[in-house]
Amino acid sequence: ICFPVTIACFSAEEKLREKLGRNLTIFRVGNIVPERFDFGIFRMVKEKLSSDSAIEMMGDSLDSRDYLGEKDLISILHNLIVSSHQLDLLNIGSGQSISLRDIVEILQSFYPDKLNVTWAPRSEFDVSNTYLDISCLKSLIDISITNPKSLICNLFASLREAG
């Protein structure tokens, strides 16, 4: 079972274990960077750029997330499925985080004259930083994970090339 890394998911994990017993593997997955601009912040950026609207970011720009590429996630899950490892809980991410400020700087490098970013206060319930310790994952399988900054740079480059 895959869960995103949120506080609410910890409660869901506990309830699932109670119902299904301990013979359950839970993967905690970081933020996924898709191949396309169909989801989350990436879809919002595409829509705002095409309409010349301001991009509103939540937080103080220092908030950071652990981003993992869609291809990397598929590769990791495939390797784990075909392996014979018995797991209880495993973090799946890049093991690195990138701040919203860094993402905005990447965007500005691609759209210097078109980008209008405003910052909105973050909710008191928002998590300011996520980082996944993937040392256990690295000990189980041989993996090469794309650096989050490179991943996001490549994604925005493909958006610019697509027009």
Side-chain angles (χ1 to χ4, degrees):
I1 295 178
C2 290
F3 278 112
V5 180
T6 64
I7 293 171
C9 287
F10 299 137
S11 174
E13 288 173 11
E14 288 177 17
K15 289 177 181 165
L16 268 173
R17 287 191 193 286
E18 289 171 9
K19 286 187 174 200
L20 301 175
R22 298 292 290 167
N23 192 16
L24 174 68
T25 300
I26 294 177
F27 298 125
R28 288 188 185 146
V29 181
N31 294 282
I32 307 303
V33 176
E35 297 275 313
R36 305 175 322 258
F37 282 83
D38 296 347
F39 308 100
I41 185 176
F42 305 103
R43 184 175 85 192
M44 183 265 304
V45 165
K46 180 181 177 183
E47 290 169 355
K48 297 293 185 176
L49 286 171
S50 64
S51 67
D52 290 330
S53 301
I55 297 172
E56 185 176 78
M57 298 288 211
M58 304 301 282
D60 60 5
S61 83
L62 300 177
D63 294 0
S64 64
R65 299 287 179 265
D66 187 316
Y67 286 98
L68 178 69
E70 182 179 349
K71 284 183 180 179
D72 290 336
L73 174 62
I74 291 167
S75 175
I76 290 167
L77 290 174
H78 175 264
N79 283 320
L80 289 170
I81 289 168
V82 299
S83 73
S84 59
H85 300 293
Q86 296 297 315
L87 304 167
D88 186 43
L89 175 69
L90 187 67
N91 290 333
I92 300 176
S94 66
Q96 304 171 46
S97 59
I98 182 171
S99 71
L100 285 176
R101 176 185 292 165
D102 290 336
I103 292 172
V104 168
E105 285 176 5
I106 292 168
L107 270 169
Q108 286 173 327
S109 72
F110 287 106
Y111 300 96
D113 300 325
K114 197 172 183 180
L115 192 65
N116 178 14
V117 177
T118 60
W119 295 94
R122 160 167 50 92
S123 160
E124 66 181 284
F125 301 108
D126 287 343
V127 176
S128 62
N129 298 297
T130 61
Y131 158 80
L132 293 168
D133 178 356
I134 60 168
S135 55
C136 182
L137 176 65
K138 286 183 173 182
S139 73
L140 295 173
I141 60 174
D142 185 28
I143 54 171
S144 174
I145 297 174
T146 309
N147 173 289
K149 201 167 192 172
S150 298
L151 188 69
I152 291 169
C153 233
N154 293 338
L155 188 66
F156 290 130
S158 70
L159 176 65
R160 185 178 64 184
E161 288 170 12

